[in-house]
Amino acid sequence: MTKVTAQMVKELREKTGAGMMDCKKALTEVNGDMDAAVDFLRKKGLSSADKKADRIAAEGSAYIHVDGNEAVIIEVNAETDFVAKNEGFQTLVKELAEHLLKTKPASIDEAHDSKLENGHTVSEHISNAIAKIGEKITLRRFEIRTKTDADAFGPYLHMGGTIGVLVTLEGSTDEEAAKDVAMHIAAMNPKYVSRDEVPADEVEREKKVLTEQALNEGKPENIVAKMVEGRIGKFFEDICVLDQPFVKDSDQKVAAFVKSTGGTLKDFVRYAVGEGIEKREENFADEVLSQVKGN
């Protein structure tokens, strides 16, 4: 029978957020096996990780890990900006990125089920972090990119990871130029690399809107088509990075800047942390009052 020490109880409390007596009982029940004790508490609903499942995690951090000709960009969410800046959270994000690039899962579900070197699945590893950090944490998304020795990655993280951009520059090894393009994408938020990528139905929908606008302005029908063709250029400029004036030199388009490197912009991934997640608006005073009343 393994003796349950105060240090073991302390470690389990840090991992799960459960009470001291519950931790001691759990360790006693499983003969001092720390991992089994974590599972024991979770099954009993005593681990704080399980009590945070319905919370909204819309803060967090994007992170990029590059290893030679491979790179991964990920987004990991937490509930508050304060925790997102926490050293333990940042360590978790880095660990997850390195693991994902090494194992290359095909989906988020596959990522959660994959095992780290410590024997825990990613899902279990995140649950342990939740218990220790005290907030809901989610691995939201990731993308893996590969290149050749003749290409360059352009990784860029804005303001500690609130926005992350990973660019792949093909046919050029100019990493600084690739990073400059990534910074531009972080600032301008384009949807596509070039006009060729824009779906035809999206272009037609925009042309219909522009046509109606021109007709409503009282323009003669015989010149409306020419006006629409002129105005559609602004539409492409808004959504296609190569059509945009380069933020570091507005006298040239991004296409011209990329061409000057001798390469082409193959693709990019841009993550803005929390985008698309509906954040719950709460009144702080009401929240405190509800806690005082025990609601």
Side-chain angles (χ1 to χ4, degrees):
M1 184 73 178
T2 302
K3 182 182 178 181
V4 176
T5 65
Q7 180 59 37
M8 291 166 67
V9 173
K10 178 176 181 291
E11 183 181 345
L12 185 57
R13 287 193 71 189
E14 290 175 348
K15 283 179 176 291
T16 64
M20 182 175 69
M21 294 309 295
D22 289 324
C23 288
K24 185 175 181 180
K25 181 181 178 181
L27 286 163
T28 302
E29 287 284 339
V30 299
N31 198 26
D33 186 318
M34 189 63 64
D35 292 338
V38 170
D39 291 342
F40 178 90
L41 290 170
R42 291 185 66 199
K43 290 173 184 176
K44 295 288 187 180
L46 297 172
S47 170
S48 60
D50 293 330
K51 298 176 182 178
K52 296 175 171 63
D54 62 345
R55 295 188 183 178
I56 296 174
E59 301 297 333
S61 179
Y63 184 78
I64 300 165
H65 176 58
V66 178
D67 185 8
N69 285 338
E70 299 179 329
V72 63
I73 178 170
I74 72 170
E75 178 183 348
V76 181
N77 297 124
E79 294 178 58
T80 64
D81 182 56
F82 177 77
V83 161
K85 295 176 180 175
N86 174 283
E87 185 178 348
F89 178 83
Q90 292 294 333
T91 298
L92 172 68
V93 173
K94 185 173 183 291
E95 288 173 346
L96 292 176
E98 291 175 352
H99 171 73
L100 292 176
L101 190 57
K102 183 178 179 181
T103 57
K104 298 179 181 58
S107 65
I108 283 290
D109 288 341
E110 193 175 307
H112 279 138
D113 292 338
S114 64
K115 285 195 174 183
L116 295 144
E117 290 184 0
N118 61 12
H120 291 160
T121 64
V122 164
S123 184
E124 291 167 343
H125 193 58
I126 291 173
S127 289
N128 289 339
I130 291 171
K132 188 171 184 179
I133 293 172
E135 282 192 6
K136 180 180 179 180
I137 298 169
T138 57
L139 169 60
R140 185 185 183 196
R141 52 185 173 171
F142 69 93
E143 288 197 42
I144 295 170
R145 291 288 184 267
T146 60
K147 69 175 187 67
T148 71
D149 289 339
D151 311 323
F153 283 134
Y156 174 68
L157 292 174
H158 182 67
M159 292 181 65
T162 55
I163 298 174
V165 180
L166 177 61
V167 159
T168 309
L169 203 60
E170 200 169 51
S172 171
T173 57
D174 192 336
E175 293 180 352
E176 279 302 309
K179 185 177 179 181
D180 284 343
V181 174
M183 291 175 67
H184 170 97
I185 291 167
M188 301 307 294
N189 192 20
K191 291 172 64 179
Y192 306 102
V193 170
S194 66
R195 299 185 181 199
D196 295 339
E197 292 185 358
V198 184
D201 60 341
E202 191 172 337
V203 177
E204 285 305 308
R205 187 166 61 249
E206 183 65 18
K207 284 184 176 180
K208 285 181 180 179
V209 171
L210 293 174
T211 298
E212 288 298 320
Q213 286 177 350
L215 290 173
N216 290 337
E217 290 168 6
K219 306 297 182 185
E221 287 191 26
N222 62 332
I223 67 166
V224 164
K226 289 184 178 180
M227 289 183 63
V228 168
E229 287 305 314
R231 291 180 179 180
I232 201 71
K234 179 64 171 65
F235 166 71
F236 285 124
E237 187 177 295
D238 287 340
I239 63 173
C240 301
V241 60
L242 293 180
D243 278 85
Q244 295 175 338
F246 187 36
V247 290
K248 293 188 100 177
D249 178 10
S250 58
D251 289 335
Q252 67 174 331
K253 301 276 190 179
V254 173
F257 173 73
V258 171
K259 188 177 180 180
S260 72
T261 70
T264 57
L265 179 57
K266 180 182 178 183
D267 57 38
F268 70 86
V269 184
R270 183 187 187 275
Y271 286 168
V273 170
E275 62 186 347
I277 299 176
E278 185 177 346
K279 298 184 182 182
R280 183 167 51 213
E281 297 295 334
E282 294 182 342
N283 182 291
F284 182 69
D286 289 345
E287 181 184 339
V288 173
L289 186 61
S290 70
Q291 290 178 359
V292 170
K293 290 180 177 179
N295 293 333

